[in-house]
Amino acid sequence: MSKYIATRAIRGATGLVGEAERMLSQAIADKGPETPVQFPNTAYYLPTILGLTGREVSTLGDLVPLMERARSLLHPVPASQLWKPYLGETLDAGVGTLLAAETIEAVRFVNGEQPERWPGFEMGGGTDYPHLKDGHLNGPIDDIQLRSWGIQLVDGRMPGFAAIVGCAKSNEVAVELVRQLQQRNILIFLSGNVNGRSIIHQLQEEGVEMGYDTYIVPFGTDTISAIYALGFATRSALTFGGMKGGMPREIFLYNKFRVFAFVLALGEVDDLKYAAAAGAISYGFPVIADTVIPEIRPSGVTQYEHVISMPFDEIQAENDLERAKKMVQKAIEVRGVKIRVTEVPIPVPYGSAFEGEVVRKNDMRVEFGGKHTRAFEYLYMADSDQVEDGKVSIVGPTFADLPEQGAMDMGIVIKVAGRKMQTDFEPVLERQVHYFINGASGIQHIGQRDIAWIRISKAAADRGFNLEHFGKILIARFHADFGAIVDKVEVTIYTDPDKLKFWLEKARTAYDFRNRRLADLTDEAVTEFYSCTLCQSFAPNHVCVVTPQRLGLCGAYNWLDCKASFQINPTGPNQPINKGTTIDPVKGYWSGPIEFTRQASHGFVQDVSLYSIMENPMTACGCFECIVMLIPEANGVMVVSREDPSMTPAGMTFSTLAGMAGGGLQTPGVMGVGKYYLTSPKFISADGGFKRVVWMSSILKQTMADEFVQVLEREEAPGFLDQVADETICTDVDGLLTHMTEVGHPALEMDPMF
Amino acid sequence: MPVEIPKEKWTGKVRLVTLGATAAEGGTRTRRVTVGGGTTLPFLFFEGDMPHKPVIGIEIRDRKPDDWSPLLGLAWGEAMNDPGDWAKAAEQAGADAIVLAFNLADADGKAPTAAHAKATVRKVLQATGLPVIVNGPGQADLDNELLVAAAEEGAGERLVLGLCEDRNYRTIVAAALGHGHLVQARTAMDVNLAKQLNILITDMQLPLDRVLMDPTTGALGYGIEYGYSVMERLRIAALQGDSMTQCPMIVTPGEEAWKAKESKVGEGVPKAWGDWQERAINWELVTASSLVESGADIVVLRHPESVKRVHAMIDAMMAG
């Protein structure tokens, strides 16, 4: 906590409380203690006072005890030789300031000095004061408007509000700040001045319409009128948070977590502004100043930093307009405001209906990757200040000069930043590139990483689709689908040969790193597994336990996917399961998964082992890629692929077997699994592992050949796959046993499976 | 031989939810309706209590719908031309609550406006003293616009706002919070989705005693067994103590049954199907009464005769 800020805030608060006391005694002396006081357009009395103290002030006399309360919150200014944490004292001073400020405005209403008179000022919508026909600022926001905006704040259409206090560097900057906020649908409250000049003057001079209609509310030209912003925030909590007056803690927390507001302090920050800022911090609203002031960076009362200094002229940008833009961007980051992007801004239709679309050679304008060229995609995480959200850059030539059906190299590099982003999520997000790009009509995307293959159809190119739109798609979709973990996205498309080569190398290093990371990611190395109950809609009692070494049986969700999914949707189907105590590391019994499965299967499954097919095997819904089933005569298991229609040694085809393996039933000897689980060192490891496989659909042998090479190395059984039968060798038990004996399958020598 | 009836020992209880506010609570309704409170599956009085019987809402529209069966036109007659008259007729026909649903378009094919929603809600509130449930036409954006307006107009009446779904729950819940209403939380026949929506609604600080779950259903012959099973599982979970499933359930058998071919088509069907009107009413009746058996606390119906018969069925069951 900055002692400097503490000193200034306490000094400011002390001054304001004194001022309020003087004004109140004068008003009582002039008009009597029974004189009614109110903000005329709200049913919440003096809202901030009501919220923070529970007092329903209706006369001048009612304000007297409040002034005592405000004074009791004023601590001595820190002595020059004393160093200690001052946050408590500063926040108290802030609350004292709010009580005093609202008292002053209430007395001004009694004196007919509020709302502020301004002859000739026209507002587009606002509270009407018949006695101020010739023009006035808005003063407090009325209850009807509060409800209307409140609904939008609560449902997220309006991300939050910005309380701007002071005066911008120039009129041009003032307008740009407001435009930037408006573009993001952020409500704007104006108050304060610097040497008599307010941002309200600046906007008026530039012809910017203010009022409810334009979401810009001019409260008043002094700092005190900023209290109306906090009155609005307090009433939001009372109206939408179900809180009552006198619940300051609850009201502060409600605002911290639900009302994404921040203060922009423009121009010199005087004592009173420090004091008011201290009041805003209690609500969880951070302060961003455009001048040099001490910062309070550690988070606590606010979600992230409390006070940020961004000296306007030192913001690195081309010109003042760019600086204003960056300042708003920073404010949004500091408050953690999430902006929703609803549409994908490209010249062709977009939607999941176009995902499966194929662009044939004859219809193609250009392709990247495939036989003759190289395309890659690489997503990485960077620090927030190194990512310019929404920016798409093209480095190198476009395809404009290429002949029809031409081909060229391309690299798509995506840089993301987010407070909740983790490097582990990089591959999870990168894999989405395929789905996101495929959603555009007339675009085909195949593969991933450095084997991506993308085609743009002639029709799409004719409608104006170009390289930039890959970036637009990715930015829009990452914000829309992964907004919970991604705050900023920037995309660079490389076609320049040298740059492309450079980034391809970087990408390959990252791919390699990720591969090794995945290999290191063992069940022992983590403390949490994840559940998946996505399929309970049709298999009500089935629960998948997803571990680093056992992916979901559908093949679509691995442990990292589940981890990211939980971040994105904390109430969704992927919940963390703490492993709890280890009961049997060989069979894979942990207390956590057992308890979770019991509860989530509604008591249907009592025990679950993660590494055995013979004892309490994991259940399956019906989405499994393969069925693993015991062949008792062979002392091993067969693995049947979903894509294999042939007869199996169990005397049943895949579709018949599926009935036994699915539906959330626990059947020892039968299990539905994802095909990559076959390559895991934890594949039925309690029952002997991969060497138990005596029969496997040939399609698996073919499509998984590369992966199996590594498994065989690990198992030190180089020729093993040739010993495993398939449907071309036999489809009955006798044939299987004959084959096994002929090739000397190791399962024959292994311990009995049961 | 004496037979001992096995009894299940449930620990949970369905939450009590009250629709409508009388003058004493700051509204203008002459009647409130409370549902929920059950400590066992429907009508198993030997095992637990069912303090509030299932009730019937009658669906009316903001204007005479173009696509309703002529049989319904016959039943309601002129009243269908005015939502106020229709609400009165529905009250007379035995409704416990009025369900005012907006059509997707007005007579000229234009989307209804917020002003229209306000005027219609006002009219219905003036015409009847029953609690009112307001449903949008079922398109998220339009629902938001109309329901926010309806919420404003009916402030203090403890209306039920629906459909509050995954894609638009935030706006509907915010409107309910701002104006003191309830929500009808609809999910697509899935226990976990229903739970999840309730969690999300709770997270926005709307208390669960202002939430009705609408798990969606299908008509007899059109998926009712799926709907039945989901409702039964939700109710069992509630009785087992799962707080997020303990909301009373509202379902719309009227809408579903009148979509079925058996009730829609009067000509060119096998003779064995029998009298058209009797068949259509039976379709609605059987659909609704099955759902009452699976735990529905509010069933929304369309035909006055089915209302009479479902009432009779509920009363007979409540008599034990």
Side-chain angles (χ1 to χ4, degrees):
Chain A
M1 180 70 205
S2 157
K3 186 165 124 172
Y4 180 81
I5 293 183
T7 306
R8 308 270 321 250
I10 292 173
R11 222 157 60 195
T14 309
L16 195 72
V17 172
E19 165 100 5
E21 284 167 342
R22 272 191 301 282
M23 284 179 68
L24 180 60
S25 351
Q26 186 65 47
I28 289 176
D30 293 348
K31 304 198 154 112
E34 295 308 315
T35 308
V37 285
Q38 60 165 339
F39 290 166
N41 53 9
T42 175
Y44 290 97
Y45 301 91
L46 300 180
T48 311
I49 290 175
L50 173 70
L52 302 190
T53 69
R55 284 177 190 268
E56 299 177 349
V57 172
S58 51
T59 65
L60 283 175
D62 291 343
L63 284 165
V64 175
L66 277 160
M67 285 299 90
E68 288 160 19
R69 175 84 168 263
R71 187 149 284 283
S72 75
L73 291 168
L74 302 176
H75 302 272
V77 170
S80 58
Q81 295 307 315
L82 184 64
W83 302 94
K84 59 173 182 141
Y86 305 107
L87 187 60
E89 282 97 328
T90 309
L91 293 177
D92 277 357
V95 171
T97 307
L98 303 185
L99 299 179
E102 199 162 69
T103 298
I104 291 176
E105 295 295 27
V107 173
R108 285 174 169 174
F109 260 106
V110 170
N111 295 340
E113 295 158 1
Q114 274 292 308
E116 204 171 314
R117 199 183 189 98
W118 189 320
F121 194 90
E122 280 181 27
M123 268 192 302
T127 303
D128 197 29
Y129 292 91
H131 67 287
L132 294 173
K133 272 274 168 266
D134 58 340
H136 60 87
L137 299 185
N138 191 74
I141 289 167
D142 61 65
D143 280 353
I144 298 167
Q145 196 59 45
L146 163 83
R147 285 208 164 75
S148 162
W149 276 337
I151 289 174
Q152 296 185 51
L153 280 171
V154 173
D155 74 17
R157 275 177 291 167
M158 195 183 261
F161 71 75
I164 307 185
V165 183
C167 181
K169 182 188 172 191
S170 65
N171 287 12
E172 188 192 25
V173 170
V175 173
E176 184 63 15
L177 284 173
V178 165
R179 295 285 179 246
Q180 287 292 328
L181 292 164
Q182 278 180 315
Q183 270 175 26
R184 296 171 167 87
N185 221 4
I186 292 173
L187 194 53
I188 302 156
F189 298 151
L190 307 174
S191 49
N193 68 74
V194 175
N195 301 323
R197 205 168 147 70
S198 166
I199 185 167
I200 302 174
H201 293 105
Q202 296 180 307
L203 295 180
Q204 199 199 20
E205 285 161 17
E206 296 305 312
V208 174
E209 194 183 13
M210 287 172 265
Y212 291 166
D213 298 348
T214 53
Y215 293 27
I216 307 175
V217 188
F219 284 148
T221 54
D222 62 3
T223 304
I224 297 173
S225 65
I227 186 65
Y228 297 137
L230 296 171
F232 178 85
T234 307
R235 284 185 287 159
S236 297
L238 297 175
T239 309
F240 293 97
M243 277 122 210
K244 304 255 179 308
M247 296 168 69
R249 185 184 148 77
E250 289 77 7
I251 290 169
F252 289 157
L253 289 175
Y254 180 88
N255 276 283
K256 171 178 175 176
F257 291 113
R258 291 163 198 277
V259 180
F260 290 96
F262 53 87
V263 179
L264 279 181
L266 305 181
E268 188 212 340
V269 180
D270 58 22
D271 286 355
L272 181 53
K273 282 184 189 158
Y274 274 109
I281 287 173
S282 280
Y283 282 77
F285 302 159
V287 178
I288 296 89
D290 71 348
T291 52
V292 181
I293 61 168
E295 298 192 318
I296 308 178
R297 297 198 76 101
S299 59
V301 184
T302 57
Q303 204 168 356
Y304 302 119
E305 296 87 350
H306 292 85
V307 178
I308 288 280
S309 167
M310 256 189 122
F312 195 77
D313 290 328
E314 290 168 31
I315 298 173
Q316 301 223 332
E318 300 254 316
N319 53 41
D320 279 358
L321 293 186
E322 287 296 310
R323 288 189 187 94
K325 195 173 163 187
K326 286 204 163 170
M327 186 160 176
V328 169
Q329 181 73 46
K330 181 73 184 176
I332 286 167
E333 258 171 58
V334 170
R335 185 58 184 100
V337 180
K338 295 284 181 184
I339 310 287
R340 289 199 213 164
V341 183
T342 43
E343 270 178 39
V344 180
I346 53 171
V348 295
Y350 189 89
S352 48
F354 303 110
E355 267 174 28
E357 218 181 4
V358 175
V359 177
R360 296 187 196 289
K361 185 106 185 162
N362 288 335
D363 305 326
M364 180 184 94
R365 169 68 187 85
V366 61
E367 72 177 336
F368 313 91
K371 266 188 202 145
H372 310 294
T373 51
R374 160 90 49 204
F376 71 94
E377 48 218 25
Y378 170 46
L379 179 143
Y380 71 102
M381 173 182 154
D383 283 344
S384 186
D385 52 5
Q386 283 163 23
V387 184
E388 188 171 333
D389 189 32
K391 185 176 173 188
V392 183
S393 330
I394 315 287
V395 179
T398 66
F399 57 84
D401 298 333
L402 233 56
E404 293 276 303
Q405 298 171 25
M408 73 192 286
D409 289 344
M410 176 174 67
I412 302 178
V413 176
I414 307 144
K415 197 159 53 155
V416 302
R419 303 254 184 186
K420 286 192 175 169
M421 181 66 195
Q422 304 178 13
T423 40
D424 270 353
F425 297 157
E426 287 174 349
V428 175
L429 297 184
E430 191 181 276
R431 227 166 8 147
Q432 305 300 322
V433 172
H434 168 74
Y435 300 100
F436 290 171
I437 289 186
N438 252 338
S441 171
I443 312 298
Q444 172 189 312
H445 183 287
I446 296 172
Q448 51 166 335
R449 288 190 170 179
D450 56 354
I451 53 164
W453 181 14
I454 305 170
R455 282 179 166 183
I456 299 177
S457 72
K458 276 183 204 155
D462 287 348
R463 295 180 75 160
F465 193 98
N466 58 40
L467 295 180
E468 185 195 14
H469 296 113
F470 289 125
K472 299 254 184 210
I473 294 173
L474 294 170
I475 288 165
R477 290 296 308 272
F478 275 121
H479 275 300
D481 295 14
F482 292 87
I485 46 182
V486 167
D487 298 337
K488 293 164 115 183
V489 188
E490 180 180 343
V491 178
T492 312
I493 314 268
Y494 291 99
T495 53
D496 175 88
D498 291 339
K499 292 274 168 44
L500 188 118
K501 200 170 157 230
F502 171 79
W503 278 98
L504 181 58
E505 277 316 304
K506 266 185 110 105
R508 282 184 172 153
T509 315
Y511 302 150
D512 188 46
F513 174 82
R514 287 173 197 169
N515 287 345
R516 276 183 283 119
R517 162 85 178 127
L518 271 182
D520 290 346
L521 206 56
T522 61
D523 290 0
E524 290 78 17
V526 299
T527 56
E528 276 173 345
F529 297 152
Y530 283 88
S531 68
C532 186
T533 52
L534 199 63
C535 294
Q536 284 202 347
S537 52
F538 60 90
N541 299 322
H542 164 67
V543 186
C544 261
V545 178
V546 179
T547 79
Q549 291 177 295
R550 182 168 186 173
L551 81 170
L553 53 84
C554 55
Y557 282 80
N558 67 28
W559 186 82
L560 284 175
D561 294 319
C562 291
K563 191 176 175 191
S565 153
F566 171 67
Q567 286 290 334
I568 292 157
N569 184 2
T571 57
N574 301 116
Q575 295 292 321
I577 307 176
N578 197 297
K579 273 157 79 176
T581 48
T582 307
I583 298 166
D584 182 341
V586 176
K587 287 180 177 154
Y589 286 112
W590 282 272
S591 62
I594 290 174
E595 279 157 28
F596 189 96
T597 305
R598 256 181 219 167
Q599 172 249 323
S601 73
H602 314 102
F604 208 74
V605 177
Q606 283 297 314
D607 275 307
V608 65
S609 76
L610 302 187
Y611 306 142
S612 173
I613 191 176
M614 298 308 295
E615 197 178 295
N616 298 311
M618 202 185 298
T619 59
C621 40
C623 318
F624 31 75
E625 291 180 302
C626 314
I627 294 172
V628 184
M629 187 176 180
L630 172 74
I631 305 290
E633 298 89 339
N635 200 31
V637 298
M638 65 168 190
V639 182
V640 194
S641 161
R642 181 160 66 187
E643 288 149 83
D644 179 2
S646 61
M647 184 46 71
T648 71
M652 289 176 272
T653 59
F654 180 88
S655 50
T656 317
L657 286 166
M660 293 171 65
L665 296 172
Q666 198 171 43
T667 318
V670 187
M671 212 158 60
V673 301
K675 62 185 181 187
Y676 281 94
Y677 178 48
L678 301 174
T679 67
S680 164
K682 292 295 192 309
F683 172 67
I684 58 170
S685 51
D687 309 309
F690 196 69
K691 282 186 189 155
R692 283 289 184 188
V693 178
V694 297
W695 190 98
M696 181 191 284
S697 298
S698 60
I699 187 158
L700 280 173
K701 286 187 179 176
Q702 290 154 18
T703 56
M704 301 277 291
D706 291 347
E707 287 84 357
F708 285 143
V709 169
Q710 291 179 23
V711 176
L712 299 185
E713 262 172 41
R714 188 188 70 219
E715 299 282 328
E716 293 174 354
F720 176 72
L721 217 49
D722 299 329
Q723 297 173 322
V724 176
D726 58 42
E727 75 280 5
T728 63
I729 295 167
C730 60
T731 53
D732 61 359
V733 175
D734 289 343
L736 176 62
L737 290 176
T738 311
H739 174 79
M740 285 172 72
T741 319
E742 270 171 25
V743 298
H745 193 288
L748 292 171
E749 306 297 322
M750 290 165 82
D751 290 341
M753 274 191 85
F754 57 96
Chain B
M1 199 180 91
V3 178
E4 198 180 331
I5 298 177
K7 288 183 191 173
E8 197 75 54
K9 270 199 188 306
W10 302 111
T11 53
K13 179 181 169 182
V14 180
R15 214 170 264 107
L16 287 172
V17 171
T18 300
L19 289 68
T22 63
E25 297 93 29
T28 62
R29 307 295 81 210
T30 52
R31 246 191 82 190
R32 296 195 293 165
V33 169
T34 300
V35 290
T39 56
T40 179
L41 291 169
F43 311 117
L44 303 187
F45 299 111
F46 61 90
E47 208 175 74
D49 292 335
M50 194 178 176
H52 297 282
K53 67 174 187 178
V55 300
I56 298 174
I58 294 184
E59 179 184 353
I60 65 166
R61 292 296 184 98
D62 59 325
R63 71 175 176 87
K64 186 176 177 176
D66 310 317
D67 55 347
W68 278 27
S69 161
L71 295 176
L72 290 165
L74 224 57
W76 294 111
E78 285 299 303
M80 288 174 103
N81 294 319
D82 178 87
D85 293 346
W86 199 347
K88 276 197 195 116
E91 184 169 353
Q92 272 162 17
D96 297 298
I98 301 296
V99 179
L100 167 63
F102 285 90
N103 288 316
L104 195 51
D106 64 16
D108 301 327
K110 288 201 199 95
T113 62
H116 168 73
K118 284 191 171 195
T120 312
V121 167
R122 179 54 42 211
K123 203 174 220 175
V124 170
L125 285 170
Q126 277 163 356
T128 174
L130 295 178
V132 175
I133 298 168
V134 186
N135 280 183
Q139 280 192 0
D141 286 349
L142 192 54
D143 279 11
N144 285 352
E145 193 182 331
L146 301 182
L147 290 170
V148 167
E152 214 172 292
E153 188 63 30
E157 299 280 10
R158 277 183 85 90
L159 304 175
V160 180
L161 307 175
L163 303 171
C164 173
E165 298 177 85
D166 179 34
R167 56 207 160 122
N168 70 345
Y169 76 95
R170 299 187 66 90
T171 304
I172 311 293
V173 172
L177 281 167
H179 301 283
H181 301 305
L182 285 64
V183 299
Q184 176 177 350
R186 170 171 285 192
T187 45
M189 293 206 216
D190 182 304
V191 174
N192 286 339
L193 290 181
K195 274 178 74 168
Q196 193 184 356
L197 184 55
N198 285 351
I199 293 170
L200 294 170
I201 289 172
T202 313
D203 189 48
M204 287 183 71
Q205 320 251 304
L206 186 71
L208 279 176
D209 65 0
R210 278 160 67 186
V211 178
L212 297 171
M213 281 193 295
D214 176 350
T216 314
T217 189
L220 174 66
Y222 295 83
I224 193 175
E225 51 286 329
Y226 204 111
Y228 185 104
S229 157
V230 167
M231 288 169 70
E232 191 181 38
R233 279 192 277 132
L234 276 168
R235 185 48 50 87
I236 288 173
L239 296 172
Q240 282 172 342
D242 179 351
S243 167
M244 283 299 155
T245 56
Q246 286 171 342
C247 299
M249 289 187 278
I250 178 171
V251 270
T252 52
E255 182 186 343
E256 296 301 327
W258 286 96
K259 276 198 287 204
K261 183 185 180 192
E262 289 79 354
S263 39
K264 241 167 54 182
V265 183
E267 284 166 18
V269 297
K271 213 165 175 201
W273 284 21
D275 178 66
W276 181 20
Q277 168 153 321
E278 193 56 23
R279 179 173 75 239
I281 289 169
N282 275 332
W283 219 264
E284 189 174 19
L285 167 69
V286 175
T287 304
S289 49
S290 311
L291 297 174
V292 166
E293 294 278 7
S294 75
D297 296 279
I298 304 176
V299 285
V300 182
L301 303 180
R302 282 186 176 173
H303 197 285
E305 181 58 28
S306 343
V307 172
K308 214 160 94 186
R309 295 188 197 174
V310 176
H311 266 313
M313 172 262 175
I314 292 172
D315 289 343
M317 293 304 291
M318 288 302 288

